Amino acid sequence: MYKRKKALMPALALMLVGLAVPVLAEEVAVPAVAAVAKASVEMFTINNTWMMVATFLVFIMNLGFAMVETGLCRAKNATNILFKNTVIPAIGILGFALVGFNLMYPGKFIIPGILGFAGFGIGTDAAGMTSAYNIGYTYWTDFLFQAMFAATAATIVSGAVAERVKLGSFLVFSAIYVSLVYPFVGSWTWGLGWLSKLNFHDFAGSTLVHSVGGWGALAGALVLGPRIGKYVNGKVKPIMGHNLSMVTIGVFMLWLGWFGFNGGSVLSADPGKVSFVLVTTTLAAAAGTIGAMLTSWLIQKKPDFTMVLNGCLAGLVGITAGADTVSVTASVIIGLVAGILAVLGVMFFDKLQIDDPVGALSVHLVGGVFGTLAVGVFSTNPDYTFMTQLLGVAAYGIFCFPAALLIFWILKKTIGIRVSEEEELKGLDIGEHGQEAYAGFQFFTNS
Amino acid sequence: MYKRKKALMPALALMLVGLAVPVLAEEVAVPAVAAVAKASVEMFTINNTWMMVATFLVFIMNLGFAMVETGLCRAKNATNILFKNTVIPAIGILGFALVGFNLMYPGKFIIPGILGFAGFGIGTDAAGMTSAYNIGYTYWTDFLFQAMFAATAATIVSGAVAERVKLGSFLVFSAIYVSLVYPFVGSWTWGLGWLSKLNFHDFAGSTLVHSVGGWGALAGALVLGPRIGKYVNGKVKPIMGHNLSMVTIGVFMLWLGWFGFNGGSVLSADPGKVSFVLVTTTLAAAAGTIGAMLTSWLIQKKPDFTMVLNGCLAGLVGITAGADTVSVTASVIIGLVAGILAVLGVMFFDKLQIDDPVGALSVHLVGGVFGTLAVGVFSTNPDYTFMTQLLGVAAYGIFCFPAALLIFWILKKTIGIRVSEEEELKGLDIGEHGQEAYAGFQFFTNS
Amino acid sequence: MYKRKKALMPALALMLVGLAVPVLAEEVAVPAVAAVAKASVEMFTINNTWMMVATFLVFIMNLGFAMVETGLCRAKNATNILFKNTVIPAIGILGFALVGFNLMYPGKFIIPGILGFAGFGIGTDAAGMTSAYNIGYTYWTDFLFQAMFAATAATIVSGAVAERVKLGSFLVFSAIYVSLVYPFVGSWTWGLGWLSKLNFHDFAGSTLVHSVGGWGALAGALVLGPRIGKYVNGKVKPIMGHNLSMVTIGVFMLWLGWFGFNGGSVLSADPGKVSFVLVTTTLAAAAGTIGAMLTSWLIQKKPDFTMVLNGCLAGLVGITAGADTVSVTASVIIGLVAGILAVLGVMFFDKLQIDDPVGALSVHLVGGVFGTLAVGVFSTNPDYTFMTQLLGVAAYGIFCFPAALLIFWILKKTIGIRVSEEEELKGLDIGEHGQEAYAGFQFFTNS
Amino acid sequence: MKLIIAYIQPERLNAVKQALYEKEVFRMSVTNALGCGQQKGYHETYRGADVEVNLLKKVRIEVAVNEGFVEPTVEAIIKGARTGKIGDGKIFIHSLDECIRIRTGERGKDAIG
Amino acid sequence: MKLIIAYIQPERLNAVKQALYEKEVFRMSVTNALGCGQQKGYHETYRGADVEVNLLKKVRIEVAVNEGFVEPTVEAIIKGARTGKIGDGKIFIHSLDECIRIRTGERGKDAIG
Amino acid sequence: MKLIIAYIQPERLNAVKQALYEKEVFRMSVTNALGCGQQKGYHETYRGADVEVNLLKKVRIEVAVNEGFVEPTVEAIIKGARTGKIGDGKIFIHSLDECIRIRTGERGKDAIG
Ligand SMILES: Nc1ncnc2c1ncn2[C@@H]1O[C@H](COP(=O)(O)OP(=O)(O)O)[C@@H](O)[C@H]1O
Ligand SMILES: Nc1ncnc2c1ncn2[C@@H]1O[C@H](COP(=O)(O)OP(=O)(O)O)[C@@H](O)[C@H]1O
Ligand SMILES: Nc1ncnc2c1ncn2[C@@H]1O[C@H](COP(=O)(O)OP(=O)(O)O)[C@@H](O)[C@H]1O
């Protein structure tokens, strides 16, 4: 079994890359669509520069996820979690270049509004480098910015399945989820599919990125079951994270990255639009932090730092859908509520004995759903109605959750998805990598 | 007592935010002041983009402060320090949106040149999004850039009071200091108040940000007194920081952030001005590092890494007041001297038995004062005289130090500002949060 | 001996800075060369802004190197390694300002195509701030961007000599290597020297930066010999890094920095060119990660995380020479091969018993050489032939390796370069700094 | 008075504590240790080189008890620690000449509990 | 020859060392330990779930001495470690059959000091 | 049955293990300790203040053996640990009343090995 995986994995990954090579070779020339508006070369250059900066910021979110997830888990699994969070973006970017990008932005659809595919690999003609392609960015910037988004979607799942999932199986899941599922459903809205026609508004991806990741996380947590010792005859036994300094680094990196995640989603450097989005984003993050602090202080008597950090992220996830279309005040409210929900969410999922080591469910799923619906409530643009927002949220849940369940279930039946009890006790660092993260440090653990 | 605080804090914070909401609602429309010069939309866009990037860089300084402060303190207080450094920026940003911004940039003054207030909350009309507001940035970028500055001012204090201050009380202090004190005195210079009329020059805030923070730090350290075991019958007993790797991360993040802190203070992307400021800033940081290394090597026999890191920061603080107006050579001298002063400062304050765990006093207060005066000595612009610089430095000290003393004193008399001896020994992580930062790691400590 | 060093070092450093001051004073006014093309002030501003952002990104690579190197070594040497990685950039920047910049970009040569020097210190006239100097950046941006490059070159060596080199001696080496050797050989290509005439293409420095650093690393590792206990009667005894979380932070910081390293090397914000370079860079990094993962998985049975991280960096180093001139597919292949070579390289150098704690040789030397040659194979521009690429690679090796050997040898004969066996066992943190990096943490080590 | 030293698997500590409580043994001291014995180690691989780790994580428990408590304590430790797998650990017993409670200065039997 | 084992509060270590020096006991070995006894633990709360921590940080001191030094050593430890609060710790004493200085091979009484 | 306790320099651990294996002593327990003795400490300097560190890193080894094995074990430890420099360490020996293998419940001599 284990053996088989060992063999399988390299093979699989090899395929992925192997495939990439010949195919990318085609460099499918995407004829640049006639741009809506024309822009001076200066304006195009500045727009593109901003979008590149935004791309860097989204990229660094991967470090943020790595730190948050690793820090909230035990030292004995640190290498394994860091490994996943380093390799998954790599797989995600290559997979997105190979199929994802042209699946998410097919140009024209095969099944109208639902499924399209512009061919394998990436490539463009000269026009792709001018404002003829888009006044905001070149073809290459477009791809890279979107690829970074895809990479983050995959890493969200990783948190909820941490400390027990088999490395190989999870890499396979991620490859599929990020190269196929994410772009396919993404095309419904950002690829100008059926949901965009209905005016479903998800500015930067509360739903398309975060709840899509969140649904995958829920599926994974359910199929895997809780970590050994997390729920002992009905009671929750906390399994403490090993390094809150790392988690803090992670949260600041994510907040920083969000400036690009939301700010870049304006798709140009439009001063008014972008700076407004940055303000709502920042206020929501701050309010989320405060909201979580107060909630945890009242409920837990003492303010729980990990909850506060979750709250900050929840505020960011919450504002992501409407950062461009809600008022400053609304952004504070949205952040505040998202922060409160984050704390309640963590406790709620523990009640259900769904073991989510890092709170990915309350941050990305709950926060993402809430944020998307909030647009329906607070939007200054009447076209975005609560019902369409609800419809959108539902559509993504109805497809992604079962899809993720299916993938995990198949993996479970084939190569297996959970490490042995012995390995789980000894730690995945030794089990999966034969390598500890903190050689020399002394640990005292009875879990 | 303790109990009361517990009740008080959430209440207080709730107020803060609670207030924010209705008030922000007004979205006070600030009529955009007729811009001095006009700029092409391209130029405005690039200027604004640069200012947004600078804003991100200043933001990440908060991570820098968190890492430096936590790393230089003991592991048993790490969660608490990280907590403060995460929550304070959040409070700072919200407080600045609520009152600070309009207190610092009131437009017109109530008490001429001294006090003005443009109303609660933030908001603007369409003009605020064009170069009609300012050729360098939109109203929103303006607010966000300034809010990030405010956030840093608050976190400076945190370092000097670390490992013994009560969480709740310090949050209250920070909320007041950053929302009221900092913007009020800031208006004297950057708000075009009386000091600006006198040609007092503080380019990016050696005084307005760093020494204002430094005076607060001094007040806090004095009111609190030293940590248990720091000074034993007249001798200094070092209390070692638990993680110099973190401190290093922090210093690099701060240096990085400073490119935005100083570079952004040009308030436009003017190529010559900004790039020159970046060069003086970088050389001062480098010289500060070397200056501290040599000083510590000579005095301590072996070069003390924590001193070198302080020296790097001191160089940055020192150049902040005159980065735009001193020569390249002068920037090296300023950095060098600031670095030397940082080392001597740490030892000096220890002589006085003023316990400053992270060296905030020598870096921000000494460095800030020195840097501001240095403008009077090295400025290439004759309008900036040593006397006005001295006057400015004095003005801020005379107001901020007593103000901070008063706030801390009131808190001491009411909800108390220092944790119990037992809690201090056990660590504030357990005492204030019931949560350790490094679960599983083994520690050996007899302090 | 030891004593003498103690005396010598401050002296030396003092000289360096001491010199800097008077000399910089001259502010040698470099008359701005008539620009090839003219650019609108808007375009110049945006270009310069992009180049400043790129500069920040390259700067943060220094943090990346610090984290990777420290994390891959033992805790008992952490302070020392962090110290080096903080001080060396400072020395590098000052040294580059003092002599390096005008040695690397002399304008006209003394020995045609080989050696030129435009005088000590930096400085410019008004024209240096306009597109008259260069359409892409001001004189100041130019200097700063190049200075950051220089700083990285020096830190590369540091990794290979870690855990046994004397602090003082290594600082002297770095000062010489980065202020004299690096800029001197750099002028051959980027300073428009003889190699540039031959169409040797090294876009962003696979050879000029990375292999130059790599040759120095090789020389250092050879002169120093392996760490105690690394090779025991012919067998390799692994000496494990103490913190893979830090290494991960480092790798992400480096990857992030590389966007500026390669993207900035376009020397303007040209949308098409820059964004294309970013895509090839990203794909190579991703492919390098996968390539190393597969190789290590197959050879070591379990995927070694440190190898995967090396592979990611190797992919980046590999693409650096040709990021602008190879196809998307080629970038994937180059990254993949570089990743594979990184893993094999680590094992290869261990076979030769050349002790390189962090894999600097396989990443920077092997990766750099391979990447430069790969241009000859994959370049879409026929002018870049394999033979010239080979010639270039050889030229740099033939000069830098002996040069570095000589410097290290002289240091060995004079102030000594290796710490005592006792100090090596106790750790350089205590030996060189009298200061541990992780006070309070318990370690269990038998090496 | 006897001092009972037990080496157990780390993950059994809670079970052992539980078992001791049931036998009304409430006092103990714990340190973490590394042990090698019959249980075979595992391999770590680092940058291509392989290491056999045979010092495995264990927990060391010390319990000082009066004669009457020796057997109950031993039974409790075995109850809590035994899994039947190699590596379960060992118990060592030796006599104490004296026991002193620092706080009160009490000595002997009364100081133990 | 006796082996004296003491469990004390970590923050008392320096005081105990001082007291031992005054009694001219200069040799000792220290390990950090966790103890549970009369002293009650504290609560930690993590993500909404609550844990009672009753293994508290202690420091374990081992001092091997010759008969004559037993009482002075015990007194010194008590002097340095006593605060009167629960949790001050315990001292255990048992006899040693042999003591060997590795460096010289000396055995018995002379090897102790 | 005897319990042999040895304090050695950390970097000697592997040599000691080797030497014990050669004497067919395969079972031991190790903890890390701090020791102070004849060996003088070193100075650390932190932010201008100076500290004398005299608790030095040591490794503590415990080996329970049957009478016959005492001398071989002692010799092995000395062989592996001795460098002739101050700080090499000490060996302490005392008798055990009982030894129990948790897995099987075996007691006495058979349980040791
Ligand atoms: N003779 C001994 N001396 C010291 N420690 C021992 C001895 N025998 C066993 N131990 C400790 O007990 C642990 C378990 O012993 P082991 O032989 O691995 O399992 P088992 O006792 O089930 O055969 C060892 O890791 C070691 O810590
Ligand atoms: N019977 C015992 N066996 C082993 N260790 C003990 C025993 N009794 C006390 N200790 C150690 O002494 C420490 C202090 O004991 P405790 O009962 O809490 O305080 P006090 O001795 O003042 O009543 C405990 O934490 C434990 O480490
Ligand atoms: N009397 C003692 N009691 C407890 N531990 C001791 C005693 N004497 C020595 N040790 C331990 O042995 C170590 C080495 O002893 P030391 O006197 O420094 O070297 P040497 O034995 O070579 O003179 C000490 O650090 C300490 O851990």
Side-chain angles (χ1 to χ4, degrees), chain B residues 239-241 300 304 306-307 310 346 358-359, chain F residues 34 43-51 55:
Chain B
I239 298 177
M240 299 185 183
Q300 294 171 260
D304 182 321
T306 66
M307 291 292 207
N310 278 159
V346 168
V358 305
Chain F
L34 297 169
H43 282 260
E44 285 194 33
T45 159
Y46 183 77
R47 303 178 74 63
D50 182 283
V51 253
L55 279 175

Side-chain angles (χ1 to χ4, degrees), chain D residues 27 29 62 64 101 103 112, chain E residues 35 38-39 58 87-90:
Chain D
R27 287 175 165 67
S29 298
E62 263 184 358
R101 167 175 283 120
R103 171 165 49 88
I112 289 268
Chain E
Q38 209 157 310
Q39 184 185 16
K58 300 284 166 185
D88 276 355
K90 295 262 174 95

Side-chain angles (χ1 to χ4, degrees), chain E residues 13-108:
Chain E
L13 179 59
N14 290 337
V16 169
K17 261 170 62 186
Q18 206 47 54
L20 285 169
Y21 285 179
E22 284 158 14
K23 291 284 162 66
E24 275 158 346
V25 177
F26 300 111
R27 288 174 163 66
M28 73 193 77
S29 298
V30 179
T31 52
N32 66 341
L34 297 169
C36 75
Q38 209 157 310
Q39 184 185 16
K40 45 186 278 306
Y42 56 88
H43 282 259
E44 286 195 31
T45 158
Y46 183 76
R47 303 179 75 63
D50 183 283
V51 252
E52 221 247 319
V53 180
N54 53 14
L55 279 174
L56 307 173
K57 286 198 172 64
K58 300 284 166 185
V59 161
R60 181 181 191 274
I61 303 176
E62 262 183 358
V63 191
V65 294
N66 292 319
E67 273 62 12
F69 271 89
V70 173
E71 274 316 310
T73 306
V74 168
E75 281 158 26
I77 293 172
I78 291 176
K79 178 154 173 289
R82 177 181 286 169
T83 68
K85 291 208 219 68
I86 286 182
D88 276 355
K90 295 262 174 95
I91 301 173
F92 304 114
I93 305 174
H94 64 78
S95 21
L96 283 175
D97 307 352
E98 185 58 285
C99 168
I100 303 154
R101 167 174 283 120
I102 291 171
R103 172 166 48 90
T104 58
E106 286 164 89
R107 296 197 168 213

Side-chain angles (χ1 to χ4, degrees), chain D residues 20 42 49 53 60-61 69 90:
Chain D
L20 285 168
Y42 55 88
V53 179
R60 181 182 192 273
I61 303 176
F69 273 88
K90 296 261 175 95

Side-chain angles (χ1 to χ4, degrees), chain C residues 239-241 300 304 306-307 310 358-359 444, chain D residues 34 43-51 55:
Chain C
I239 297 176
M240 297 183 184
Q300 296 171 258
D304 181 321
T306 67
M307 291 291 207
N310 277 159
V358 305
F444 184 90
Chain D
L34 297 168
H43 281 259
E44 286 195 32
T45 157
Y46 182 76
R47 303 177 75 61
D50 182 283
V51 252
L55 279 174

